[in-house]
Amino acid sequence: MSQLLQALVNGVMTGTLIAVPAIGFSAIFAVLRYPNFAIAAYATIGAFAAWWANVAMALPVPAALLVAFAVTGLIGVVAEETSLKRLRNNGALIVAIASIALNLVLENIVRFIFGNEMRGYDLPIARDMRFGDLRIGPQQLQSLLLAVAIMAAMFLFLRYTRFGKAMRAVADNPDLARLKGIDPAKIAIVTIFIGAGLTGVGGVLIGLDTSIDPLTGYRVLLSVFAAAVLGGLGSIPGAVVGALMLGIAEELALLVVPATYRTGVGFVAILLMLTFRPRGILGERAA
């Protein structure tokens, strides 16, 4: 019983960390209508930007997260404007394939600059907290609280700010939004900045729990994509729900299968959802 409860706790924490980059992925898909697989590189870039801010500049983790958000958001906009934007008229599939190529280019640039070795953030060593038979690491708890705060800020931004409402309008109907005086091109740039920035922050939160290297984002790409598909592509609340479900499923799976098969849970989740409910749990563009 204690193993099951521990798996559920670990699953909620894992799902919360996956939810942040999944929100960024879904926001980009909702407005630009294509899956941007370069988010793996954005997560890696964010992780290394925060590592530089934390280790080299001695900034605390919250400040390092802001650096990661700004750096990754800016790189996301530059990459979009210089490469992916001119391919949009060729269809979503072409842009998605191009984003895979862009991801490889960016990952190798990170490898060229920082090398292949693993790196860790400058964090104090602390013992796990015990609640009966349950164990929770202080860093896990801090990352969980940071992720929840980021998600709450994103929801408030979308619901109550002018730009957030404009993003939702373009996601629902870009032609109608244009008639209302909203510039979809401008909204697309803001969405790319926020989506890439959130993905970079997600890479930091994942790296805080373990370590980082040039493949940090690549290792979570399938989980992030599976979470977005489970919740419904383009739905930001769905991305959160999908990430939590996937995180719990992955941790529970470890009770019966070796850890090497953990990634397979994401594949199975995508196949089942596309087979029985292609629109996902909350449906497309339910945000």
Side-chain angles (χ1 to χ4, degrees):
M1 187 63 183
S2 60
Q3 284 185 328
L4 179 61
L5 290 176
Q6 185 69 59
L8 289 173
V9 171
N10 292 342
V12 171
M13 293 194 172
T14 301
T16 306
L17 299 186
I18 294 173
V20 176
I23 289 174
F25 180 88
S26 290
I28 294 173
F29 183 89
V31 172
L32 282 87
R33 311 290 199 274
Y34 71 87
N36 189 338
F37 295 107
I39 61 163
Y42 297 158
T44 300
I45 291 170
F48 274 90
W51 174 85
W52 173 82
N54 176 245
V55 176
M57 304 300 293
L59 295 179
V61 170
L65 285 175
L66 293 176
V67 172
F69 181 82
V71 170
T72 315
L74 183 61
I75 289 178
V77 171
V78 172
E80 179 72 25
E81 292 294 307
T82 57
S83 59
L84 301 182
K85 181 179 178 180
R86 62 189 65 188
L87 299 175
R88 290 180 197 164
N89 292 334
N90 296 319
L93 179 60
I94 297 297
V95 188
I97 293 173
S99 72
I100 295 174
L102 174 63
N103 182 69
L104 293 174
V105 171
L106 293 176
E107 279 186 352
N108 279 284
I109 290 175
V110 172
R111 182 176 286 109
F112 178 77
I113 296 174
F114 292 99
N116 289 318
E117 64 269 24
M118 292 191 296
R119 301 167 189 267
Y121 294 97
D122 184 15
L123 300 171
I125 298 176
R127 292 183 176 179
D128 289 349
M129 295 179 289
R130 300 186 68 92
F131 303 92
D133 292 331
L134 299 179
R135 300 176 62 178
I136 300 175
Q139 188 54 54
Q140 286 181 302
L141 188 59
Q142 182 186 18
S143 297
L144 174 70
L145 295 175
L146 287 170
V148 171
I150 292 167
M151 286 188 283
M154 186 63 186
F155 283 124
L156 292 174
F157 171 79
L158 288 173
R159 186 160 296 277
Y160 296 109
T161 68
R162 183 180 177 184
F163 257 109
K165 293 177 181 177
M167 284 175 59
R168 292 165 57 197
V170 173
D172 287 339
N173 191 324
D175 294 329
L176 183 59
R178 189 180 290 108
L179 292 176
K180 293 293 184 180
I182 298 172
D183 183 358
K186 185 177 180 181
I187 295 301
I189 293 175
V190 175
T191 302
I192 286 289
F193 181 83
I194 294 175
L198 285 175
T199 307
V201 169
V204 181
L205 295 176
I206 293 167
L208 287 172
D209 197 32
T210 53
S211 61
I212 63 171
D213 63 67
L215 293 179
T216 294
Y218 175 78
R219 279 192 287 272
V220 298
L221 176 60
L222 178 61
S223 296
V224 172
F225 182 59
V229 172
L230 275 174
L233 280 172
S235 168
I236 290 178
V240 177
V241 173
L244 290 173
M245 292 183 63
L246 184 69
I248 292 173
E250 286 185 346
E251 293 296 332
L252 291 177
L254 294 180
L255 297 177
V256 294
V257 299
T260 52
Y261 296 109
R262 176 175 179 171
T263 308
V265 176
F267 280 109
V268 174
I270 292 174
L271 289 174
L272 291 176
M273 187 53 67
L274 291 179
T275 301
F276 297 105
R277 188 177 169 81
R279 290 171 60 87
I281 297 172
L282 297 186
E284 188 178 6
R285 302 188 195 103

